[in-house]
Amino acid sequence: MKVVIVFGTRPEAIKMCPVIKAIKRCEGLECCVCVTGQHKDMLQQVLDVFHVKADYNLDIMREKQTLYDITYAVMEGIRNVIRKERPGIVLVHGDTTTTFAAALSCFYEKIPIGHVEAGLRTRNKYSPYPEEFNRQAVDIVSDLYFAPTNSAKDNLLKEGKKEELVFVTGNTGIDALHYTVRSDFYHPETEWAKGSRLIAVTAHRRENLGEPMRDMFRA
């Protein structure tokens, strides 16, 4: 079975590259990687680290692009890819505009969708914006749900998703961490903490800037 994996931003790449590596090790599965280029240089940095080469690059990034621009460009590009490849399933990740537009395109083409990092919720469609809407909308049209936590699974079950279609996988960002950080890992920026234990915090969302980030550090 052919599996097409679609992503377009650096966070998506970090969390989907371990999935790509795993699929390539599976007999009976053919992996096709499509990047949209919603991020450009930042995305390529991650692909280089994981030694992943995209089969398709939609290269949609434009100066001052809007949500309208991204959505239209992704849908137009993905339509052409999936019509050519005719995959058994398309995997998307999380809650980006790339994810939403790709999932909607697959729905229009009646291609099954697997949602990695499904089930996260704030229940406020404007927080985070537009991500909360994106992840809820993608879960409406998905066929398989790969939830990072039991609470994410519970959210999906409460929304009427069938339990046999929901799989708790953990966060693939941890797989990325294990892939990149070895026992002999060295970086000059961490030399000041040599011999100490470190806590890695990912807090890239714009909503975390300011006081929320200070709260994390205090915790």
Side-chain angles (χ1 to χ4, degrees):
M1 184 175 73
K2 182 178 292 183
V3 181
V4 170
I5 297 183
V6 181
F7 55 92
T9 67
R10 178 172 61 178
E12 287 174 284
I14 291 171
K15 293 184 176 182
M16 288 301 267
C17 279
V19 177
I20 293 169
K21 294 286 189 182
I23 289 175
K24 286 181 179 293
R25 293 193 298 267
C26 292
E27 288 189 24
L29 293 181
E30 179 185 349
C31 186
C32 175
V33 178
C34 176
V35 299
T36 67
Q38 184 176 335
H39 288 171
K40 197 166 187 177
D41 294 337
M42 292 190 297
L43 175 66
Q44 190 59 49
Q45 290 168 0
V46 178
L47 296 180
D48 291 343
V49 167
F50 285 90
H51 307 290
V52 168
K53 187 177 185 302
D55 299 287
Y56 295 91
N57 187 342
L58 305 184
D59 194 25
I60 69 165
M61 189 174 184
R62 300 291 182 268
E63 187 175 357
K64 296 181 180 179
Q65 63 187 3
T66 67
L67 295 176
Y68 297 100
D69 300 326
I70 298 169
T71 302
Y72 170 77
V74 170
M75 291 191 70
E76 184 177 46
I78 291 297
R79 175 187 59 187
N80 297 331
V81 171
I82 59 180
R83 283 183 176 179
K84 179 181 178 181
E85 297 293 336
R86 302 312 300 180
I89 192 168
V90 172
L91 298 184
V92 295
H93 177 277
D95 51 24
T96 68
T97 302
T98 281
T99 298
F100 165 67
L104 187 57
S105 298
C106 292
F107 171 71
Y108 286 163
E109 296 292 323
K110 297 184 178 179
I111 300 293
I113 303 158
H115 189 192
V116 178
E117 202 175 87
L120 301 184
R121 298 289 184 267
T122 67
R123 307 296 180 190
N124 178 347
K125 68 180 181 180
Y126 293 116
S127 179
Y129 172 84
E131 290 86 358
E132 177 66 12
F133 165 79
N134 289 341
R135 58 196 177 200
Q136 290 199 38
V138 171
D139 281 337
I140 290 173
V141 297
S142 290
D143 300 274
L144 293 175
Y145 307 89
F146 303 103
T149 64
N150 285 318
S151 61
K153 176 182 178 180
D154 290 342
N155 288 335
L156 293 165
L157 297 182
K158 288 174 184 175
E159 293 169 5
K161 306 300 186 287
K162 295 180 179 179
E163 188 164 10
E164 62 267 26
L165 302 178
V166 181
F167 304 87
V168 178
T169 61
N171 189 326
T172 58
I174 303 302
D175 297 288
L177 191 65
H178 286 308
Y179 181 88
T180 54
V181 181
R182 310 297 171 83
S183 59
D184 59 350
F185 178 81
Y186 170 81
H187 195 287
E189 292 295 337
T190 61
E191 274 299 284
W192 63 271
K194 189 174 182 179
S196 302
R197 298 184 69 192
L198 295 178
I199 297 175
V201 178
T202 169
H204 69 277
R205 292 195 184 278
R206 68 185 75 84
E207 290 83 5
N208 289 329
L209 298 179
E211 194 58 32
M213 197 169 283
R214 284 188 283 271
D215 287 342
M216 292 181 203
F217 297 153
R218 277 194 291 269

